[in-house]
Amino acid sequence: MLTTPRGTRDFTSEEMHKRNLLLDAMKQTFLAYGYAEIQTPTFEHLELFTKKSGASIVEELYTFTDKGGRDLALRPELTAPVIRLYNEQLQVQPKPLKLFYFGNCFRYDRPQKGRYREFWQIGCELLGSDSPEAIAELIALAFHVLSDVGLKDIVLRIGQVKLLSIQVQLVKDSLKEEEKDSFDIALVLRLIDKEDFEEVEKYFYDKGCPEHVVTRFFSFLECKTSDAVAGFFHEGQQLTIVKQYQKVLGFLPDLKVDAVEVDMRIARGLDYYTGIVFEIDAPVLGAEKQLCGGGQYELIGQLGGNELASSGFAIGFDRTLLALESEQFKFTPPRLDVFIIPVTKDQLPPALRLCQELRNQKKSVDIDLLRRGIGKGLKYANSKNATFAVIIGEKEVEQNKVTLRNMSSGEQVTISSSEIINYM
Ligand code: AMP
């Protein structure tokens, strides 16, 4: 028997019901922050992603050559496509530009719980402002998209990659000349990103870094407050970066974000992120707990546009749902307003007419399509979680009435069909 390709999933109607509830709730929050939705193609020129992330990204991509010989890739994320769209069409729009998206992404990852080859991201880009209030609002949006859908336990951590790279540079500066050349800052940042601090320490000592410098570096990584971070910087320009970081943190309580962790260990791809970075985790998910990642970045110029202050984030939609399920979140179950049961086929015409009248009023209505009669019809109505059943028999038609049954109480009334809506 054929199955879904590895790392992909089917979604049953029960799952789609939950996904749609979640998506609607998330979209509401983006709209409430003044963001407008956009959509881009599922596949793009491969070059878009190699330009953003380097040639090695191809390992993680689904790539193909189309019949016209073009090298294409299924999108692994949506920031590069959004920036391509911005460069192509939106550069003249009033700033700041607030764009959000929802779409499927494809990565040739090793599948496991919370990690798929096809998954969905919802996220946004803020183009044209890097004021502290802009970045604070962006972070508040990420936090509230996740908290407003009902997640109870999420952890927001905020870092600053520029400050982190200055500290790695200080380690490099402490080395003897002959070791400096081979010191690989990108490698150190990759290890920090993987939280492999033992390897970082080993690498520093292998390079001959003095103990006090290593100790200082690790105490920087362990800073828990922005004042502690500030203690590591003294030069004017560096202090300006620290102040900006502090201002962003300072605005967060005004935006109703109270629980924030200072985390200098966030080392999201440094070739791309340029300033404040943040992540949101759901500890309940264990290994694949990261729900959201984002920050300030530079990409517009690299993709051919006029560079502009840019920031954004992406939330893993599937993981958000997993986290809600792990927290035993109660989704409102799918339901039907009315199930209509014509007792015999003779009552089909009035039953079908009533069906359409109620549907015109935007009620969700189903009708017995199997001519199964009252008993089995009611059982089916129950399985569809119908609020009411409408029974139409010979007597009802004669009196121009219907029998309306409240499915939870079992109460029945005989009323004229025009009264149904009021009654409901
Ligand atoms: P990234 O674009 O790598 O920063 O990812 C943003 C978010 O997307 C992550 O925090 C995850 O929640 C989610 N995500 C990334 N990769 C996958 C994947 N393979 N399967 C499911 N969710 C993912």
Side-chain angles (χ1 to χ4, degrees):
M1 205 186 343
L2 286 174
T3 58
T4 57
R6 187 164 147 78
T8 67
R9 293 154 296 158
D10 292 315
F11 300 109
T12 62
S13 61
E14 286 81 12
E15 285 161 332
M16 281 313 293
H17 174 75
K18 288 185 189 176
R19 290 174 75 87
N20 284 329
L21 286 178
L22 177 59
L23 179 59
D24 286 347
M26 289 175 131
K27 282 189 177 180
Q28 286 305 322
T29 309
F30 281 99
L31 293 170
Y33 277 70
Y35 279 74
E37 186 170 3
I38 51 162
Q39 203 170 50
T40 60
T42 310
F43 56 86
E44 296 272 355
H45 290 288
L46 169 62
E47 200 188 352
L48 178 65
F49 303 112
T50 52
K51 269 196 165 155
K52 178 188 173 218
S53 309
S56 62
I57 187 74
V58 174
E59 304 277 294
E60 291 172 37
L61 296 180
Y62 280 87
T63 57
F64 59 102
T65 308
D66 77 0
K67 290 177 179 137
R70 300 169 193 92
D71 287 327
L72 301 171
L74 298 182
R75 61 187 176 199
E77 53 96 34
L78 279 122
T79 298
V82 173
I83 298 304
R84 178 203 41 73
L85 161 64
Y86 168 78
N87 283 346
E88 258 187 273
Q89 293 190 43
L90 308 177
Q91 294 200 58
V92 293
Q93 294 223 345
K95 306 292 176 318
L97 202 51
K98 291 174 148 186
L99 306 171
F100 84 96
Y101 58 78
F102 171 72
N104 51 351
C105 302
F106 304 84
R107 294 185 193 174
Y108 200 76
D109 254 336
R110 188 192 306 212
Q112 53 186 287
K113 186 165 185 259
R115 183 167 289 280
Y116 312 100
R117 289 184 171 176
E118 183 191 27
F119 62 99
W120 274 256
Q121 283 188 342
I122 186 163
C124 65
E125 312 304 333
L126 170 63
L127 307 177
S129 176
D130 59 1
S131 66
E133 58 273 30
I135 305 307
E137 190 196 57
L138 179 80
I139 296 173
L141 170 57
F143 183 82
H144 285 132
V145 168
L146 292 169
S147 60
D148 288 1
V149 298
L151 277 176
K152 292 200 187 78
D153 188 15
I154 52 174
V155 179
L156 165 63
R157 294 172 289 111
I158 306 180
Q160 223 297 354
V161 284
K162 232 178 217 156
L163 298 180
L164 174 63
S165 63
I166 291 169
Q167 292 300 323
V168 181
Q169 183 64 44
L170 285 178
V171 172
K172 183 174 177 178
D173 293 345
S174 75
L175 303 182
K176 294 204 178 87
E177 282 311 315
E178 60 269 27
E179 293 291 356
K180 269 187 195 161
D181 286 345
S182 64
F183 186 83
D184 187 348
I185 292 187
L187 169 73
V188 173
L189 292 165
R190 268 202 308 281
L191 290 173
I192 295 173
D193 190 36
K194 283 201 285 181
E195 296 180 32
D196 195 346
F197 302 111
E198 253 173 54
E199 266 312 301
V200 176
E201 189 177 357
K202 188 166 167 291
Y203 185 70
F204 287 176
Y205 282 128
D206 285 351
K207 289 280 164 200
C209 183
E211 191 179 338
H212 71 275
V213 176
V214 178
T215 309
R216 188 177 182 280
F217 181 79
F218 280 100
S219 25
F220 170 73
L221 290 189
E222 276 150 31
C223 283
K224 294 275 180 288
T225 64
S226 65
D227 284 344
V229 173
F232 283 81
F233 298 91
H234 306 288
E235 266 177 40
Q237 218 189 343
Q238 298 179 356
L239 279 173
T240 310
I241 301 172
V242 177
K243 284 222 175 81
Q244 151 105 359
Y245 180 74
Q246 289 179 314
K247 277 190 194 149
V248 170
L249 294 187
F251 281 132
L252 287 174
D254 297 314
L255 292 161
K256 297 264 180 295
V257 180
D258 292 310
V260 174
E261 289 181 12
V262 164
D263 188 356
M264 289 297 132
R265 296 167 306 180
I266 305 180
R268 308 178 62 79
L270 239 203
D271 35 349
Y272 164 66
Y273 283 104
T274 53
I276 288 183
V277 283
F278 59 96
E279 293 178 347
I280 303 178
D281 301 328
V284 71
L285 290 181
E288 300 300 327
K289 65 178 194 282
Q290 200 193 109
L291 295 183
C292 172
Q296 297 179 277
Y297 62 85
E298 254 171 38
L299 185 61
I300 295 179
Q302 207 177 333
L303 296 180
N306 295 321
E307 200 53 76
L308 186 71
S310 320
S311 53
F313 63 79
I315 291 176
F317 182 79
D318 312 83
R319 279 189 203 172
T320 306
L321 189 57
L322 282 178
L324 281 168
E325 286 170 343
S326 301
E327 288 189 356
Q328 316 292 333
F329 182 84
K330 293 269 173 290
F331 288 89
T332 45
R335 45 175 288 284
L336 192 65
D337 291 322
V338 184
F339 187 72
I340 298 181
I341 306 170
V343 178
T344 72
K345 66 179 187 318
D346 295 339
Q347 289 85 44
L348 274 170
L352 288 169
R353 283 197 297 276
L354 178 61
C355 225
Q356 294 311 77
E357 277 162 31
L358 294 173
R359 284 172 178 159
N360 277 343
Q361 314 252 10
K362 298 299 162 220
K363 297 290 174 198
S364 55
V365 185
D366 205 352
I367 181 166
D368 181 15
L369 298 174
L370 284 177
R371 302 186 181 182
R372 70 190 113 188
I374 299 178
K376 284 186 183 159
L378 286 175
K379 216 166 148 193
Y380 182 75
N382 224 358
S383 76
K384 299 283 274 187
N385 206 10
T387 312
F388 292 99
V390 168
I391 300 160
I392 307 180
E394 202 180 351
K395 223 168 64 205
E396 280 92 349
V397 175
E398 266 169 26
Q399 298 170 355
N400 206 11
K401 298 224 156 146
V402 299
T403 297
L404 184 71
R405 181 188 174 92
N406 180 319
M407 291 299 292
S408 51
S409 68
E411 241 174 77
Q412 290 195 173
V413 286
T414 302
I415 53 176
S416 78
S417 53
S418 60
E419 288 174 301
I420 293 181
I421 291 283
N422 276 346
Y423 200 92
M424 284 166 70

